[in-house]
Amino acid sequence: MNHLVPLPVLLPLFGAGLKLAIGGRLPRGQRVISVAVLTAVLGVAVALLVSADRDGPVVARMAGWPAPTGIVLVADRLSALMLVVSCVVTLGVLVYSIGQGRADADEATPLSVFHPTYLILVAGVADAFLAGDLFNLYVGFEVLLAASYVLLTVGGTAARVRAGAGYVVVGLLSSLVFLAAIAMVYAATGTVNLAQLAVRLPEVDPGVLLILESMLLIGFGVKAAVFPLSAWLPDAYPTAPAPVTAVFAGLLTKVGVYAIIRVQTLLFPDGRMRELLLVVAAATMIVGILGAIVQSDLNRLLSFTLISHIGYMVFGIALASAAGLAGAVFYAVHHITVQTSLFLVAGLIERRGGSTDLGRLGGLARLSPVLAVLFFVPAMNLGGIPPLSGFLGKWLLLRAGAEFGTVTSYVLIGAAVATSLLTLYAMARVWGQVFGGTADHSGATAYSSGASLSGRDVAATTSVLPRAMTLATCALVAVALAFTVWAGPLVALADRTGVELVGRAAYVDAVPLPGGVHRSGGR
């Protein structure tokens, strides 16, 4: 299995290079390569998850160089699970984007640019999940961010370029903070290997340790869109095409959440930021959902709900218990699929109704019952209606918070319940304005977020939703429902992941370090 670990990074990069060599001469070939590569990566990710769950973390040393000198890729339960879910989402979004491109006959967004860039984004995400050292994690972030800059501004409209410029500035600043933190960690410990850092950081002065933890949390907090570092997201995401917005909302912030989980559990298990993280989690939930309920644009409303529900994951991380981390992992998996589905549905709503302005929409339940169902299911899932996976994830977190037993944790439980109720209110408001009532759709000619870049007559192309786009959305909604049907095995896997994260020994012992330096046995 060790030889499989690099493939989720290498296969997309190889596919991107092949498609760049092909150029725009073979559009069908571009699509076939993308789908084949992501399908192969999904198969590898599933194999790694099965192996990591059965036998422990799978480690690969690049070019045979030993740790900590060489690059080490590690697939444990957490990274393999996140990799599987990310592959499912990126494959579904890819099929959606292919259907959209065929329906629009879009020449403004060349396949020779979009498909290679999309695969590079997938490679960056995989590298971030599998990275066994801080610098390789930084490289993974930069690869996916560089690709996201291109995808965000694809089409070259003024709104996208303006949003892309702000996104680039925020991304560069957060990367600069992360890079400075890496330099400080190396200066304090002499290594950036995560397993070796788990051994050496306890020997560092507590004041220095607090500074290192703070710097890493700031860098990752921006990428995860944690309040108050989340103001950039509602302005950046809604301007992109629907497939790009969906994959950004589903994955990019979760890479930041993954990084926070990794460093807090492996490097700072007794961190002094726990109470602050609890406060940040509550603020993220409340501020995000209050921003959502006052929005008049569907994409902006969903962007604020995205920020709000990041707070649930930070809640579980801050508890730093096996139960809390299991809840955070389960909720992250649930949220990736549900939030991606909602943004894909928003693209279909925009296509059918001609706008994402809630005031200009109405009556879509009568015009497109399938679209109404596709919105209703993930919306109720996000709101936490029993017995859906959203309810199960929230229940796991609330139970872990009650077990924690502090005043702050009980306040956070109240904030989580209030956020869930306000999410239901926001989703009900969208349902009433978009799918209830009546509206005149005959003159719909504008796409506010640019989901379609072609100049064709929208009224003629939106009466029937493209089959590939609808089927891809149905598939992701079905995946989210599958988490409810098979909640037992998934919760059990999340519990084992939480125990492994708290224990740390499995990860540290799996990475061969010089002299046999391990947490469990010393030198």
Side-chain angles (χ1 to χ4, degrees):
M1 284 296 175
N2 302 65
H3 300 292
L4 295 180
V5 180
L7 293 183
V9 182
L10 296 180
L11 288 179
L13 291 178
F14 176 78
L18 181 59
K19 291 194 293 182
L20 286 172
I22 293 175
R25 296 187 298 272
L26 299 172
R28 185 180 180 86
Q30 292 270 0
R31 300 184 182 101
V32 169
I33 292 173
S34 296
V35 173
V37 166
L38 291 186
T39 302
V41 172
L42 175 58
V44 171
V46 170
L48 289 175
L49 177 59
V50 172
S51 178
D53 187 42
R54 182 187 59 203
D55 303 322
V58 185
V59 180
R61 298 183 299 172
M62 298 298 95
W65 286 88
T69 307
I71 295 174
V72 176
L73 299 180
V74 183
D76 64 345
R77 287 190 179 96
L78 174 63
S79 57
L81 178 60
M82 296 295 285
L83 191 61
V84 169
V85 178
S86 69
C87 290
V88 171
V89 167
T90 50
L91 183 57
V93 173
L94 176 66
V95 174
Y96 183 100
S97 66
I98 291 173
Q100 178 174 296
R102 286 180 172 176
D104 294 341
D106 182 24
E107 298 179 357
T109 308
L111 291 173
S112 58
V113 174
F114 176 81
H115 281 267
T117 307
Y118 190 79
L119 287 187
I120 292 172
L121 177 78
V122 173
V125 171
D127 187 45
F129 286 150
L130 296 172
D133 63 83
L134 286 178
F135 190 77
N136 196 29
L137 178 60
Y138 169 80
V139 172
F141 270 119
E142 291 308 293
V143 170
L144 71 89
L145 287 174
S148 68
Y149 301 152
V150 177
L151 294 174
L152 187 64
T153 57
V154 67
T157 63
R160 289 180 187 171
V161 172
R162 183 169 58 251
Y167 180 74
V168 167
V169 171
V170 172
L172 290 177
L173 288 176
S174 65
S175 296
L176 183 61
V177 172
F178 184 21
L179 189 60
I182 293 173
M184 294 168 66
V185 167
Y186 187 78
T189 63
T191 185
V192 293
N193 181 275
L194 291 173
Q196 197 166 32
L197 283 172
V199 177
R200 293 187 179 183
L201 278 175
E203 303 170 1
V204 176
D205 179 83
V208 175
L209 208 60
L210 180 61
I211 295 174
L212 298 179
E213 184 179 6
S214 302
M215 290 284 288
L216 289 171
L217 283 177
I218 291 172
F220 297 146
V222 174
K223 299 180 187 302
V226 174
F227 181 83
L229 306 173
S230 56
W232 57 271
L233 191 149
D235 293 326
Y237 283 8
T239 61
V244 176
T245 303
V247 78
F248 280 16
L251 279 185
L252 297 198
T253 51
K254 306 311 181 298
V255 178
V257 171
Y258 165 84
I260 295 175
I261 294 175
R262 182 63 74 196
V263 300
Q264 286 299 112
T265 56
L266 190 59
L267 306 187
F268 307 104
D270 302 316
R272 294 154 63 182
M273 308 290 289
R274 184 177 300 176
E275 287 294 323
L276 178 60
L277 281 176
L278 287 172
V279 174
V280 167
T284 302
M285 283 190 262
I286 296 299
V287 173
I289 199 60
L290 290 178
I293 62 178
V294 299
Q295 297 302 313
S296 60
D297 180 84
L298 178 57
N299 281 330
R300 286 185 62 85
L301 186 149
L302 292 176
S303 296
F304 275 100
T305 62
L306 167 62
I307 295 171
S308 176
H309 286 251
I310 293 294
Y312 285 98
M313 302 166 218
V314 179
F315 179 14
I317 297 170
L319 295 177
S321 63
L325 290 168
V329 171
F330 183 92
Y331 202 83
V333 171
H334 143 81
H335 194 256
I336 288 173
T337 54
V338 169
Q339 198 74 48
T340 303
S341 301
L342 283 171
F343 273 103
L344 292 183
V345 172
L348 295 176
I349 290 173
E350 186 175 24
R351 190 171 197 89
R352 188 65 180 87
S355 176
T356 55
D357 188 338
L358 299 180
R360 297 176 57 189
L361 293 166
L364 285 184
R366 176 176 55 84
L367 295 174
S368 182
V370 173
L371 186 56
V373 173
L374 289 178
F375 174 81
F376 181 81
V377 174
M380 294 301 98
N381 206 343
L382 186 69
I385 293 297
L388 299 174
S389 59
F391 169 78
L392 295 174
K394 292 180 176 69
W395 170 253
L396 292 174
L397 291 169
L398 296 182
R399 186 178 63 181
E403 292 174 357
F404 195 67
T406 65
V407 174
T408 308
S409 67
Y410 282 113
V411 171
L412 197 51
I413 289 173
V417 173
T419 300
S420 184
L421 294 175
L422 289 173
T423 300
L424 281 174
Y425 168 76
M427 294 298 103
R429 176 168 162 258
V430 172
W431 176 268
Q433 292 187 256
V434 174
F435 296 97
T438 58
D440 180 14
H441 301 284
S442 60
T445 58
Y447 278 60
S448 60
S449 74
S452 174
L453 302 175
S454 67
R456 302 175 63 189
D457 178 26
V458 176
T461 59
T462 58
S463 58
V464 177
L465 295 174
R467 181 178 300 177
M469 297 173 67
T470 305
L471 289 178
T473 307
C474 288
L476 286 181
V477 171
V479 169
L481 285 177
F483 293 158
T484 302
V485 177
W486 287 284
L490 184 57
V491 170
L493 176 59
D495 287 338
R496 293 193 295 272
T497 303
V499 171
E500 183 178 76
L501 289 171
V502 171
R504 301 197 306 160
Y507 188 101
V508 175
D509 290 346
V511 179
L513 295 173
V517 183
H518 292 296
R519 177 179 180 273
S520 57
R523 183 180 296 277

Coordinates of all heavy atoms in Angstrom, one line a residue, residues 82 254 257 285 305-306 308-314 316 324-339 381-384 389-397 416 419-420 423 483 490 494:
M82 N -10.9 12.0 4.5 CA -11.0 13.3 3.8 C -10.7 13.2 2.3 O -11.4 13.9 1.5 CB -10.2 14.4 4.5 CG -10.5 14.7 5.9 SD -12.1 15.5 6.1 CE -11.8 17.1 5.6
K254 N -12.5 23.3 4.0 CA -12.3 22.0 4.8 C -10.8 21.6 4.9 O -10.4 20.9 5.8 CB -13.1 20.9 4.3 CG -14.6 21.2 4.1 CD -15.2 21.8 5.4 CE -16.7 22.0 5.2 NZ -16.9 23.0 4.1
V257 N -9.7 23.5 7.8 CA -10.2 22.8 9.0 C -9.4 21.5 9.3 O -9.0 21.2 10.4 CB -11.7 22.4 8.8 CG1 -12.1 21.4 10.0 CG2 -12.6 23.6 8.8
M285 N -20.3 30.6 14.4 CA -21.7 30.1 14.2 C -22.7 31.2 14.2 O -23.5 31.3 13.2 CB -22.1 29.1 15.3 CG -21.5 27.7 15.1 SD -22.2 26.5 16.2 CE -21.0 26.5 17.5
T305 N -23.9 30.7 5.3 CA -24.2 29.5 6.1 C -22.9 28.6 6.1 O -22.7 27.9 7.1 CB -25.3 28.7 5.4 OG1 -25.0 28.3 4.1 CG2 -26.6 29.5 5.4
L306 N -22.1 28.7 5.0 CA -20.9 27.9 5.0 C -20.0 28.4 6.2 O -19.4 27.5 6.9 CB -20.2 28.2 3.7 CG -18.7 27.8 3.5 CD1 -18.5 26.3 3.8 CD2 -18.2 28.2 2.2
S308 N -20.9 29.9 8.9 CA -21.6 29.5 10.2 C -21.3 28.1 10.6 O -20.9 27.8 11.7 CB -23.1 29.7 10.1 OG -23.7 29.3 11.2
H309 N -21.4 27.2 9.6 CA -21.2 25.7 10.0 C -19.8 25.3 10.1 O -19.6 24.2 10.6 CB -22.0 24.9 9.0 CG -23.5 25.0 9.2 ND1 -24.3 24.0 9.7 CD2 -24.4 26.0 9.0 CE1 -25.5 24.3 9.8 NE2 -25.6 25.6 9.4
I310 N -18.8 26.1 9.7 CA -17.5 25.9 10.1 C -17.3 25.9 11.6 O -16.5 25.2 12.2 CB -16.5 26.9 9.4 CG1 -16.5 26.8 7.9 CG2 -15.1 26.8 9.9 CD1 -15.9 25.5 7.4
G311 N -18.1 26.7 12.2 CA -18.1 26.8 13.7 C -18.3 25.5 14.4 O -17.8 25.2 15.5
Y312 N -19.2 24.7 13.8 CA -19.5 23.4 14.4 C -18.2 22.5 14.5 O -17.9 21.8 15.5 CB -20.5 22.6 13.6 CG -21.9 23.1 13.9 CD1 -22.6 24.0 13.0 CD2 -22.7 22.7 15.0 CE1 -23.8 24.5 13.2 CE2 -24.0 23.2 15.2 CZ -24.6 24.0 14.3 OH -25.8 24.5 14.5
M313 N -17.4 22.6 13.4 CA -16.2 21.8 13.3 C -15.2 22.3 14.3 O -14.5 21.6 15.0 CB -15.6 21.8 11.9 CG -16.6 21.2 10.9 SD -16.1 21.6 9.2 CE -17.7 21.9 8.5
V314 N -15.1 23.7 14.4 CA -14.1 24.3 15.4 C -14.6 23.9 16.8 O -13.7 23.7 17.7 CB -14.1 25.8 15.2 CG1 -13.1 26.4 16.2 CG2 -13.6 26.1 13.8
G316 N -15.9 21.0 17.8 CA -15.4 19.7 18.2 C -13.9 19.7 18.4 O -13.3 19.0 19.2
G324 N -15.4 14.7 20.9 CA -15.4 16.0 20.1 C -14.8 15.9 18.8 O -15.4 16.4 17.8
L325 N -13.6 15.3 18.7 CA -13.0 15.2 17.4 C -13.8 14.2 16.4 O -13.8 14.5 15.2 CB -11.6 14.6 17.6 CG -10.6 15.6 18.2 CD1 -9.3 14.9 18.7 CD2 -10.3 16.8 17.3
A326 N -14.4 13.2 17.0 CA -15.2 12.3 16.1 C -16.4 13.1 15.6 O -16.7 12.9 14.4 CB -15.7 11.1 17.0
G327 N -17.0 13.9 16.4 CA -18.1 14.8 15.9 C -17.6 15.7 14.9 O -18.3 16.0 13.9
A328 N -16.4 16.3 15.1 CA -15.9 17.3 14.1 C -15.6 16.6 12.7 O -15.9 17.1 11.7 CB -14.7 17.9 14.6
V329 N -15.1 15.4 12.8 CA -14.8 14.7 11.6 C -16.0 14.3 10.8 O -16.2 14.4 9.6 CB -13.9 13.4 11.9 CG1 -13.8 12.5 10.7 CG2 -12.5 13.8 12.4
F330 N -17.0 13.7 11.6 CA -18.3 13.3 11.0 C -19.0 14.6 10.4 O -19.5 14.5 9.2 CB -19.2 12.7 12.0 CG -20.5 12.2 11.5 CD1 -20.6 10.9 11.0 CD2 -21.6 13.0 11.4 CE1 -21.8 10.4 10.5 CE2 -22.8 12.6 10.9 CZ -22.9 11.3 10.4
Y331 N -19.0 15.7 11.1 CA -19.7 16.9 10.6 C -18.9 17.4 9.3 O -19.6 17.9 8.4 CB -19.8 17.9 11.6 CG -20.9 18.9 11.3 CD1 -22.2 18.6 11.7 CD2 -20.7 20.1 10.7 CE1 -23.2 19.4 11.4 CE2 -21.7 21.0 10.4 CZ -23.0 20.6 10.7 OH -24.0 21.5 10.4
A332 N -17.6 17.4 9.3 CA -16.9 17.8 8.1 C -17.2 17.0 6.9 O -17.5 17.6 5.8 CB -15.4 17.8 8.4
V333 N -17.3 15.7 7.1 CA -17.6 14.8 5.9 C -19.1 15.1 5.5 O -19.3 15.2 4.2 CB -17.5 13.3 6.4 CG1 -18.1 12.4 5.3 CG2 -16.0 13.0 6.6
H334 N -20.0 15.3 6.4 CA -21.4 15.6 6.1 C -21.4 16.9 5.3 O -22.1 17.1 4.3 CB -22.2 15.6 7.3 CG -23.3 16.7 7.4 ND1 -24.5 16.6 6.7 CD2 -23.2 17.9 7.9 CE1 -25.2 17.7 6.9 NE2 -24.5 18.5 7.7
H335 N -20.7 17.9 5.9 CA -20.9 19.3 5.4 C -20.2 19.5 4.0 O -20.7 20.2 3.2 CB -20.2 20.3 6.3 CG -20.6 21.7 6.1 ND1 -19.7 22.6 5.5 CD2 -21.7 22.4 6.3 CE1 -20.3 23.8 5.4 NE2 -21.5 23.7 5.9
I336 N -19.2 18.7 3.7 CA -18.6 18.8 2.4 C -19.6 18.5 1.3 O -19.8 19.2 0.3 CB -17.3 17.9 2.3 CG1 -16.2 18.4 3.1 CG2 -16.9 17.7 0.8 CD1 -15.0 17.5 3.2
T337 N -20.3 17.4 1.5 CA -21.3 16.9 0.5 C -22.5 17.8 0.4 O -23.0 18.1 -0.6 CB -21.7 15.5 0.7 OG1 -22.2 15.3 2.1 CG2 -20.5 14.5 0.5
V338 N -23.0 18.2 1.6 CA -24.3 19.0 1.6 C -24.1 20.4 1.1 O -24.9 20.8 0.3 CB -24.8 19.0 3.1 CG1 -26.0 20.0 3.2 CG2 -25.3 17.6 3.5
Q339 N -23.0 21.0 1.5 CA -22.8 22.4 1.0 C -22.5 22.4 -0.5 O -22.9 23.3 -1.2 CB -21.6 23.0 1.8 CG -21.5 24.5 1.7 CD -22.6 25.2 2.5 OE1 -22.8 24.9 3.7 NE2 -23.3 26.2 1.9
N381 N -31.1 18.8 5.5 CA -30.0 18.1 6.0 C -29.0 19.1 6.7 O -28.5 18.9 7.8 CB -29.2 17.4 4.9 CG -28.4 16.2 5.4 OD1 -28.1 16.1 6.6 ND2 -28.0 15.3 4.6
L382 N -28.8 20.3 6.1 CA -28.0 21.3 6.6 C -28.6 21.9 7.9 O -27.9 22.2 8.9 CB -27.8 22.5 5.6 CG -26.9 23.6 6.0 CD1 -25.4 23.1 6.1 CD2 -27.0 24.8 5.1
G383 N -30.0 22.0 7.9 CA -30.6 22.5 9.1 C -30.7 21.5 10.3 O -31.0 21.9 11.4
G384 N -30.4 20.3 10.0 CA -30.3 19.3 11.1 C -31.6 18.6 11.5 O -31.9 18.3 12.6
S389 N -28.1 13.2 8.3 CA -26.7 13.2 8.9 C -26.4 14.5 9.5 O -25.5 14.6 10.4 CB -25.7 12.9 7.7 OG -25.9 13.8 6.7
G390 N -27.0 15.6 9.1 CA -26.8 16.9 9.8 C -27.2 16.8 11.2 O -26.5 17.4 12.1
F391 N -28.3 16.2 11.5 CA -28.8 16.0 12.9 C -27.8 15.1 13.7 O -27.4 15.4 14.8 CB -30.2 15.4 12.9 CG -30.6 15.0 14.3 CD1 -31.1 15.9 15.2 CD2 -30.6 13.6 14.6 CE1 -31.5 15.5 16.5 CE2 -31.0 13.2 15.9 CZ -31.4 14.1 16.8
L392 N -27.4 14.1 13.0 CA -26.4 13.1 13.7 C -25.1 13.8 14.1 O -24.6 13.7 15.2 CB -26.2 11.9 12.9 CG -27.4 11.0 12.6 CD1 -27.0 9.9 11.6 CD2 -27.9 10.4 13.9
G393 N -24.6 14.6 13.1 CA -23.3 15.3 13.4 C -23.5 16.3 14.5 O -22.6 16.4 15.4
K394 N -24.6 17.1 14.5 CA -24.8 18.0 15.6 C -25.0 17.3 16.9 O -24.5 17.8 18.0 CB -26.0 18.9 15.3 CG -25.8 19.8 14.1 CD -27.1 20.6 13.8 CE -26.9 21.7 12.7 NZ -26.7 21.0 11.4
W395 N -25.7 16.2 16.9 CA -25.9 15.5 18.1 C -24.6 15.0 18.7 O -24.4 15.0 19.9 CB -26.9 14.3 17.9 CG -27.0 13.3 19.1 CD1 -26.5 12.1 19.1 CD2 -27.6 13.6 20.3 NE1 -26.7 11.5 20.4 CE2 -27.4 12.4 21.1 CE3 -28.3 14.7 20.8 CZ2 -27.9 12.3 22.4 CZ3 -28.8 14.6 22.1 CH2 -28.6 13.4 22.9
L396 N -23.7 14.5 17.9 CA -22.4 14.0 18.4 C -21.6 15.2 19.0 O -21.0 15.0 20.1 CB -21.6 13.4 17.2 CG -22.1 12.1 16.6 CD1 -21.3 11.8 15.4 CD2 -22.0 11.0 17.6
L397 N -21.7 16.3 18.4 CA -21.0 17.5 19.0 C -21.6 18.0 20.3 O -20.9 18.3 21.2 CB -20.9 18.6 17.9 CG -20.1 18.4 16.7 CD1 -20.3 19.4 15.6 CD2 -18.6 18.4 17.1
A416 N -25.0 26.5 19.3 CA -25.1 25.5 18.2 C -26.6 25.2 17.9 O -27.0 25.1 16.8 CB -24.4 24.2 18.6
T419 N -28.1 28.3 16.2 CA -27.6 28.3 14.8 C -28.4 27.3 13.9 O -28.7 27.6 12.8 CB -26.1 28.0 14.7 OG1 -25.4 29.0 15.5 CG2 -25.6 28.0 13.3
S420 N -28.6 26.1 14.5 CA -29.4 25.1 13.7 C -30.8 25.6 13.4 O -31.3 25.5 12.3 CB -29.4 23.8 14.5 OG -30.1 22.8 13.7
T423 N -30.6 28.3 10.8 CA -30.4 27.7 9.5 C -31.7 27.2 8.9 O -31.9 27.4 7.7 CB -29.3 26.6 9.7 OG1 -28.1 27.1 10.2 CG2 -29.1 26.0 8.3
F483 N -25.0 8.9 3.9 CA -24.4 9.1 5.2 C -25.4 8.8 6.3 O -25.1 8.5 7.4 CB -23.8 10.5 5.3 CG -22.6 10.7 4.4 CD1 -22.2 12.0 4.1 CD2 -21.9 9.6 4.0 CE1 -21.1 12.2 3.3 CE2 -20.8 9.8 3.1 CZ -20.4 11.1 2.8
L490 N -20.3 4.8 9.6 CA -19.6 6.1 9.5 C -19.3 6.7 10.8 O -18.2 7.2 11.1 CB -20.3 7.1 8.6 CG -19.7 8.4 8.3 CD1 -18.3 8.2 7.6 CD2 -20.6 9.3 7.4
A494 N -15.7 7.4 12.5 CA -15.3 8.7 13.1 C -14.8 8.5 14.5 O -13.9 9.2 14.9 CB -16.5 9.6 13.0

